[in-house]
């Protein structure tokens, strides 16, 4: 069986809004969740309409039927959050990620932000290189460290203000999907050892690095 307290949600763009809503659902129903990681996501569908279709914006009350308002959820969400933000995103303004990060900081939860310089909407994971996955690994390790020190947010209100405990490093792979023609997919596949990352972060063990080294 899977311990829900060891699960991290990851979402990019619209998937980030889904992650926020799932985390909100988990909290309301007292379901275990370790944290969420969102990449290049937006404040809400409404603010995206303002950005992408300003001429349609005045008619939003008449035509808009979905909200996906992450900014509203971020105000009260207590689940740890990692923001992975490409500062060269031309689809979702970088300001949306910065605003969500600020809202989360004010909510008192444990929050981190990793900015990928030159990162675009769909390629931030690729442009970010090893540092991108290192940020994920550090976030997971620090989250589990705080849980092990009995300062997890569900039990202590001052959890977000406590310092993190150092844990042994966890091996991280890049993980790219390559089709039969040898072309890299625009949609990344998370590293094959992602589950091992979470397990190692929670136990302090260091998994062996797998895969052949590329020249």
């Amino acid at each position: 069986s899977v311990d829900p307290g060891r699960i991290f949600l990851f979402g990019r763009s619209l998937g980030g809004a889904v992650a926020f809503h799932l985390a909100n659902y988990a909290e309301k129903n007292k379901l275990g969740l370790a944290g969420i990681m969102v990449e290049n996501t937006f404040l809400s569908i409404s603010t995206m309409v303002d950005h992408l279709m300003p001429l349609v914006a005045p008619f939003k009350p008449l035509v808009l039927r979905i909200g996906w308002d992450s900014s509203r959820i971020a105000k009260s969400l207590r689940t740890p959050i990692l923001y992975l933000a490409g500062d060269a995103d031309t689809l979702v303004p970088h300001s949306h990620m910065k605003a969500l990060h600020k809202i989360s900081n004010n909510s008192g939860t444990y929050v981190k932000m990793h900015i990928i310089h030159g990162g675009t909407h769909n390629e931030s994971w690729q442009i970010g290189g090893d540092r991108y996955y290192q940020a994920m690994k550090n976030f997971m390790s620090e989250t589990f460290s705080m849980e092990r020190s009995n300062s997890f947010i569900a039990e202590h209100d001052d959890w977000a203000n406590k310092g993190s405990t150092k844990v042994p490093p966890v091996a991280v792979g890049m993980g790219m999907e390559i089709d039969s023609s040898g072309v890299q997919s625009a949609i990344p596949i998370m590293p094959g050892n992602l589950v091992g990352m979470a397990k190692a972060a929670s136990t302090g063990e260091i998994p062996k690095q797998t895969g052949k080294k590329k020249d």
Side-chain angles (χ1 to χ4, degrees), residues 100-122:
L100 283 170
H101 177 252
K102 183 176 180 180
I103 293 171
S104 296
N105 269 329
N106 292 336
S107 73
T109 189
Y110 175 66
V111 58
K112 290 282 188 179
M113 186 170 191
H114 176 70
I115 296 177
I116 301 98
H117 298 292
T120 54
H121 187 70
N122 290 318

Side-chain angles (χ1 to χ4, degrees), residues 125-126 133 174-180 182-190:
W125 67 276
Q126 193 171 24
Y133 292 105
M174 282 299 294
M176 294 182 182
E177 180 183 22
I178 301 178
D179 62 25
S180 57
V183 178
Q184 293 178 353
S185 171
I187 303 176
I189 295 298
M190 298 307 294

Side-chain angles (χ1 to χ4, degrees), residues 171-173 190-198 207-210:
V172 183
M190 298 307 294
N193 62 347
L194 184 58
V195 175
M197 287 169 57
K208 294 182 179 180
Q209 183 71 37
T210 58

Side-chain angles (χ1 to χ4, degrees), residues 128-178:
D130 288 336
R131 291 184 178 180
Y132 174 93
Y133 292 105
Q134 184 70 30
M136 297 174 72
K137 181 206 74 171
N138 290 343
F139 173 71
M140 294 166 69
S141 296
E142 290 167 8
T143 299
F144 286 135
S145 294
M146 292 179 180
E147 181 184 15
R148 289 199 301 271
S149 64
N150 296 320
S151 58
F152 197 57
I153 191 65
E155 299 179 8
H156 296 280
D157 289 337
D158 62 346
W159 177 80
N161 298 319
K162 290 181 179 286
S164 62
T165 304
K166 291 184 178 179
V167 296
V170 181
V172 183
M174 282 299 294
M176 294 182 182
E177 180 183 22
I178 301 178

